[in-house]
Every structure is written in structure tokens, then in C-alpha cells.
Amino acid sequence: MKKDKANEFKRELTVGEVAERSGLAVSTLHFYESKGLIRSNRSRGNQRRYPRSVLRRVAVIKIAQRTGIPLSEIQAALSVLPDDRPLTVEDWERLSMTWQRQLDERIAKLTALRDQLTGCIGCGCLSMRDCPLRNPWDVLAAEGTGPRLIDPADGSEHEAS
């Protein structure tokens, strides 16, 4: 009986088994794999087979996503960890400390934005010097007069109509 349990533990999981145990759709697992978040091996019949350690990796991905961490950042963080074993407590501590710093920064930015919002709603100051939200540091003045929008988050520029 012990031998059967040992063999069962070593047996890789099908995509359906991982989906059922993780609560994710099969298509989500395929997507994660295409983004390099998880990996599978192929059976002789070319079917995906996942190591059991993928279940912990999927759990970490789900937690990170719930906190708003982009998949690209999750992938980068997981890429330095080995695929052939479950994530350890030490692995999780490193990941969570990094993500906690990012969340703290995002919370600080959102708090500042929230606190500036009250004085700005409906003022129509898209090109005025004192608008801390749409025209910080009066960067739009150099572009001339008229309504102009700039989103510092993505660096794109749009002229308002």
C-alpha cells in the first residue's frame, strides 16, 4: 500500500485534475502556461501533464492577481524560482516582501490621488497651472494654449476635443 501512495504522489496531474483542484478553468491554465507562469510536460499522446508542485504555484498566482499585481510581474518573480519543486516558505517570503513594497507604493499613490480629488471634481482646469491631477508641475504649458490631456501613468498624450 505504501508503494501505491508513493507512486500516486509522483504521478503527474492532467490539466483537468489541476483545473478541478485549483478551481480554475482549463483555458486559464493554458493561458498561464502560454505566459510562462506554469509549465507542463507532454505525455506520449501529447497531452499536458503537470507536476503536483504546480498547484502551489497556481495558488501563489491567484493570490498575487487578487492584490492587483500584473501577470508580467508575477511571471518575472516566478521565473527565478525552480519549476521542479513546490514553492517553499522562503520563496514565499521573498515574493511577498517584494509585492508588499509594490502594494505599499500603489496605496500611497492612490491615497494621494484620493486626497487631491475633492478639490478637483468639476473644476474644468485641464490646462490650468494649479491642477495637481491633470497637469502636475504645469507640463502642458509648454505645448501651447488650449485643452490638452496627458496621462503620466502611460506617457500617452491626447488632445481633448
Side-chain angles (χ1 to χ4, degrees):
M1 185 112 183
K2 283 186 179 180
K3 196 172 191 175
D4 289 341
K5 275 204 176 225
N7 286 339
E8 177 63 20
F9 187 71
K10 288 180 182 178
R11 183 182 70 79
E12 293 183 312
L13 303 171
T14 66
V15 69
E17 289 170 325
V18 175
E20 183 179 337
R21 291 187 60 184
S22 68
L24 294 174
V26 169
S27 60
T28 302
L29 294 170
H30 292 175
F31 177 75
Y32 284 176
E33 192 171 351
S34 74
K35 296 297 180 187
L37 295 161
I38 60 175
R39 68 165 186 79
S40 67
N41 300 311
R42 294 295 178 144
S43 70
R44 281 185 255 160
N46 202 30
Q47 296 174 327
R48 287 179 169 89
R49 295 289 186 261
Y50 295 92
R52 290 181 176 278
S53 60
V54 79
L55 293 171
R56 187 167 295 165
R57 210 171 181 83
V58 166
V60 168
I61 294 165
K62 289 171 65 174
I63 290 167
Q65 283 186 295
R66 283 188 65 198
T67 62
I69 297 173
L71 283 178
S72 60
E73 290 180 27
I74 298 169
Q75 191 279 331
L78 292 176
S79 70
V80 299
L81 300 174
D83 286 334
D84 60 348
R85 65 164 171 79
L87 298 176
T88 64
V89 171
E90 293 80 17
D91 295 333
W92 175 247
E93 286 174 353
R94 281 192 307 272
L95 289 173
S96 64
M97 283 181 9
T98 299
W99 291 337
Q100 187 173 11
R101 281 191 298 274
Q102 291 172 352
L103 288 172
D104 288 343
E105 289 171 13
R106 195 171 340 142
I107 289 168
K109 287 178 184 177
L110 287 172
T111 300
L113 177 63
R114 180 202 62 206
D115 294 347
Q116 293 173 344
L117 208 64
T118 304
C120 185
I121 294 175
C123 68
C125 66
L126 294 180
S127 64
M128 290 175 57
R129 290 179 187 206
D130 62 350
C131 182
L133 296 176
R134 295 305 297 161
N135 190 14
W137 309 286
D138 197 25
V139 295
L140 297 177
E143 295 181 16
T145 59
R148 299 186 188 282
L149 302 178
I150 188 165
D151 188 350
D154 67 9
S156 64
E157 200 174 311
H158 308 281
E159 243 184 70
S161 37

